[in-house]
Amino acid sequence: MKRIITTSLLGIALTTPIFAQTNGQQQERNNRLLTTSSVPEKYVPTAENLAARKRFEGFRFGIFLHWGIYSTFAQGEWYLNGKINKDEYAKAASAFYPSYFDANAWVSAIKGSGAKYITFTSRHHDSFSMFKTKESNYNIVDATPFKRDVLKELADACHKQDIDLHIYYSILDWIREDYPIGRTGLYTGRNLKPNYDTYFNFMKGQVSELLHNYGKVGAIWLDGYWDHDSDSIPFDWRMEEFYRYIHDIQPACLIGNNHHITPIDGEDFQMFERDLPGENKAGLSGQAISRLPLEACQTMNGMWGYKVSDINYKSTNQLIELLVRSAAKGSNLLLNIGPQPNGELPALALDRLQGIGKWLQQYGETIYETMAGDVAEADWGVSTSKGKKTYLHIFKQDAETISCAFSAKPKRVIDFVSRQPLSHSYDKKTKTLTVHIDSHKDVVDYVIEIEK
């Protein structure tokens, strides 16, 4: 399919500001844009960016949406990588008509779960854009009979319902000829004409559209950096230049990169794929934990994109425990759903959203705007903290008494739900707190509130 590559993009960024500015402010921003590629400098986040980071840390729960024409094959988002010819794959676009898509219904269901933000796949590795773009006609408006900009509808619904919109963007491509091929997408049948300059400008053009045409964007979530992690000569993605370009358009927009390494200068949060920070059970997140805000992304079932046979969803209780354990590590949880090709969210996913939302209505205080707990993880569970309060989250349902190290004798120890005091003792010599617990066999997470 014919694609249009634009190599001169500064005009877009310079002439279409997303927020009202004075002439002086606009000129200052224009000057920065013109010099970003020639003057390397260490990233210094703006005051509004730092405020956005703090706000992001308080969210603790978001929903990831992996949706594209790959959903029509119902085999997950990596289907094209399985030695599928790109031209045959592209025929799915002409059949993509998600007639049941309702952005307001999606956002309403997600908001009901207690999630504070949505991260949506604007373009995955298959090169197909789920938004209207001038950079390529391989997009949902120009290449499908649906002809609707689903990202625009989703953005409008998010802004209307007060949910932050984050945008996923793949920096690797399995179809474009100018993308310098890495270790994936080797058998899609493209004629390789690698030219990273044109590809880099293509990405800048698309990101400019995303940051100018869809209102305030909470974060840009990048993926695919790892495609060149096996190169004999290190590949220069020019990420710091890319980051400066993004921040010059929307300074408060956070940047995260799913590269599985230590954060690069210019990033605003650190992500961990299929793992909580510091665990690396899936083998993708062995990097050191930085001081940036943290986010752990995980699937509800097995795949990121919709797969018809993948109905092995984690239970509501398992997902609640995952959310709590994530917060206890000072991290947000970005929980994934793969929407169906007809535009609906799977029924099992909706059920899980409802269950998590019901739990957060009662226990949200112990999750939102909390920090990693000051009581170490133990066999009985974990802890979160907020101000002068520490919350012990007890997962072990047969526990009758728990003991933990605590810095000083607490002012009070109560059952979080009933607000009734709990029998406890404190050993000043060993600085050990012992709490006797009420019966909680039918509770996924029994919470004890401790006031210091």
Side-chain angles (χ1 to χ4, degrees), residues 232-281:
S232 57
I233 300 175
F235 185 76
D236 183 9
W237 286 97
R238 294 160 60 185
M239 282 293 99
E240 292 182 27
E241 178 184 346
F242 197 45
Y243 297 166
R244 287 195 298 272
Y245 186 76
I246 292 169
H247 283 138
D248 274 321
I249 299 173
Q250 287 200 35
C253 178
L254 305 181
I255 297 173
N257 194 325
N258 187 36
H259 44 45
H260 308 151
I261 60 175
T262 302
I264 299 170
D265 189 48
E267 294 172 10
D268 302 299
F269 67 101
Q270 182 181 14
M271 58 187 69
F272 298 82
E273 182 176 356
R274 290 190 181 273
D275 263 309
L276 298 182
E279 294 192 354
N280 197 29
K281 295 177 181 178

Side-chain angles (χ1 to χ4, degrees), residues 24-37:
Q25 289 173 323
Q26 181 60 44
Q27 184 60 50
E28 180 183 357
R29 181 158 294 179
N30 291 354
N31 291 338
R32 290 202 305 272
L33 282 169
L34 289 168
T35 59
T36 52
S37 62

Side-chain angles (χ1 to χ4, degrees), residues 327-360:
K329 290 183 177 291
S331 172
N332 288 4
L333 175 65
L334 183 62
L335 188 60
N336 182 75
I337 298 172
Q340 297 171 171
N342 68 355
E344 291 182 308
L345 300 180
L348 286 173
L350 289 171
D351 175 76
R352 301 304 189 267
L353 291 178
Q354 187 176 35
I356 296 170
K358 183 178 180 180
W359 185 86
L360 279 170

Side-chain angles (χ1 to χ4, degrees), residues 360-395:
L360 279 170
Q361 284 180 355
Q362 186 169 31
Y363 293 94
E365 177 187 325
T366 73
I367 301 297
Y368 300 127
E369 299 180 350
T370 60
M371 304 298 290
D374 47 9
V375 173
E377 181 176 347
D379 61 351
W380 47 259
V382 296
S383 70
T384 56
S385 62
K386 183 191 300 183
K388 294 183 178 181
K389 293 181 180 180
T390 294
Y391 304 100
L392 304 185
H393 298 265
I394 316 300
F395 302 128

Side-chain angles (χ1 to χ4, degrees), residues 307-328:
K307 185 175 182 179
V308 67
S309 61
D310 185 13
I311 57 174
N312 187 28
Y313 279 68
K314 299 171 183 67
S315 70
T316 299
N317 284 356
Q318 287 175 319
L319 294 174
I320 289 171
E321 182 173 336
L322 179 63
L323 172 60
V324 175
R325 288 188 180 277
S326 180

Side-chain angles (χ1 to χ4, degrees), residues 38-79:
S38 59
V39 183
E41 56 184 25
K42 187 172 178 61
Y43 172 53
V44 178
T46 62
E48 55 191 313
N49 183 279
L50 293 174
R53 292 184 187 187
K54 184 175 181 180
R55 183 168 176 267
F56 173 69
E57 279 191 298
F59 287 160
R60 286 295 174 247
F61 183 37
I63 293 296
F64 213 167
L65 296 172
H66 271 72
W67 198 38
I69 59 171
Y70 44 80
S71 67
T72 62
F73 299 102
Q75 296 298 316
E77 76 291 349
W78 272 56
Y79 182 64

